[in-house]
Amino acid sequence: MLRRFGFIVALAAGLAISPAAQAVSLSPLRYHLAIDPGKEQVVWVKVTNTDAVAATFKVRVGGAKQSEAGRPIFGNSLDEAEAWISPRDTKILLRSGEEKKVYFNVAVPEGTAPGTHTGALVVENIAKNTLSGQVATLLLIDVAGIVEEAATIESWQLPTFIRKPHLNADLLLKNNGTVAMPVRGTITISSVFGKKIDSREIALGGTVLPGTKRASHINERFPLVAGPYKVELLIRYGLSDTIIRREKTLWYFPVWLMVSIVMIVVVWIGSRFRKKI
């Protein structure tokens, strides 16, 4: 589905960063911008030297992408938007405990196609060439214009037979559109005659970036008795709230029922054998 971006600035949601103990800290940890082609915005990050001694920090631009688990992965040369971002200062000196705002210009070239792009605002301790001396703010840039929201279910692995009233399934979604999109999911269990038994919302990890896949494991307990059921998976995605549905049949055979059937068969075979004797 096609949608038009407006012009907004907000903190990004659904993409979390969990830094370990660092010798430097940044805030905010994520930005979400919407910029028209040919326009420019300025963003800043507050850098704090949390080390016990003064230090010189390098300020640079990096790239970012998203793992199937929904976590950001930082690197270089991951998106064309890295060329749109430039720091005003490339080095800063901070005393222990001192903080300073560092500014970045974000300029989207004329003619850039609408959609979501990613970048990273990186600060690293020059004296500590390790991960503990580096931090990054995730930057999402929505280029304004007509964008496409599209998603597919790449796979939905659900067992046909279960022995416990637990639904264990693996789901893989893909964002085939040009814009970052929120995703929500619901699992509904019904009888084969259509009577609803239960329905649960499932966690899908929040926003999915364009071209990215999202893997989710579903583990839910339902009030089931022995027999067949219909399992409906419903995915809602994007600002358009588009729906994708999938349905499968599930058979619940509890262990006690299987044991009972085996015992009945054994007794029946034994009785038939005794009659022949």
Side-chain angles (χ1 to χ4, degrees):
M1 180 171 292
L2 299 179
R3 297 187 64 85
R4 176 175 290 277
F5 275 147
F7 187 84
I8 58 171
V9 180
L11 288 179
L15 290 168
I17 305 174
S18 300
Q22 304 281 1
V24 57
S25 68
L26 283 185
S27 66
L29 286 179
R30 49 193 181 269
Y31 268 111
H32 196 162
L33 310 178
I35 307 178
D36 289 315
K39 300 296 183 180
E40 181 176 332
Q41 285 193 42
V42 177
V43 296
W44 57 265
V45 292
K46 184 170 67 176
V47 185
T48 304
N49 180 7
T50 57
D51 210 345
V53 296
T56 300
F57 297 93
K58 180 180 179 181
V59 181
R60 63 178 179 85
V61 175
K65 62 180 181 178
Q66 195 177 44
S67 71
E68 288 189 356
R71 300 184 182 91
I73 300 173
F74 297 103
N76 295 297
S77 302
L78 300 178
D79 193 294
E80 63 176 310
E82 295 169 46
W84 309 345
I85 311 165
S86 57
R88 292 184 179 178
D89 298 303
T90 56
K91 286 184 182 180
I92 57 172
L93 173 64
L94 297 178
R95 298 185 301 273
S96 176
E98 184 181 3
E99 60 184 39
K100 180 179 180 179
K101 285 185 178 180
V102 178
Y103 293 86
F104 293 79
N105 295 329
V106 184
V108 177
E110 287 278 7
T112 301
T116 300
H117 294 268
T118 58
L121 314 178
V122 184
V123 175
E124 57 186 60
N125 189 325
I126 293 178
K128 295 186 176 182
N129 190 22
T130 63
L131 290 178
S132 65
Q134 300 180 26
V135 287
T137 288
L138 176 67
L139 180 62
L140 299 185
I141 305 169
D142 289 338
V143 179
I146 303 298
V147 297
E148 180 182 4
E149 290 184 335
T152 54
I153 296 176
E154 297 284 288
S155 68
W156 183 33
Q157 298 179 4
L158 176 72
T160 303
F161 299 94
I162 59 174
R163 292 179 293 176
K164 296 181 179 180
H166 286 270
L167 182 66
N168 282 282
D170 290 299
L171 174 66
L172 185 64
L173 300 173
K174 184 178 181 182
N175 182 351
N176 298 308
T178 60
V179 61
M181 64 180 193
V183 290
R184 297 179 292 132
T186 305
I187 289 281
T188 301
I189 303 288
S190 304
S191 70
V192 291
F193 303 105
K195 181 181 179 181
K196 180 179 175 180
I197 306 298
D198 200 356
S199 183
R200 307 277 176 83
E201 290 189 4
I202 54 176
L204 298 178
T207 302
V208 185
L209 295 181
T212 301
K213 295 182 180 181
R214 173 62 49 80
S216 303
H217 179 70
I218 302 162
N219 183 5
E220 293 285 343
R221 181 183 177 90
F222 289 92
L224 304 179
V225 295
Y229 294 90
K230 290 182 180 179
V231 182
E232 182 190 60
L233 171 69
L234 187 147
I235 303 295
R236 295 179 181 271
Y237 68 85
L239 299 178
S240 57
D241 207 29
T242 304
I243 293 176
I244 309 175
R245 281 189 175 89
R246 293 290 185 274
E247 188 176 282
K248 289 189 176 183
T249 300
L250 174 73
W251 288 80
Y252 172 43
F253 281 111
V255 174
W256 65 264
L257 179 59
M258 297 175 65
V259 172
S260 299
I261 292 174
V262 170
M263 292 180 64
I264 291 172
V265 171
V266 170
V267 171
W268 180 79
I269 292 175
S271 64
R272 297 278 295 181
F273 181 74
R274 285 194 297 271
K275 286 181 180 179
K276 289 183 179 180
I277 295 177

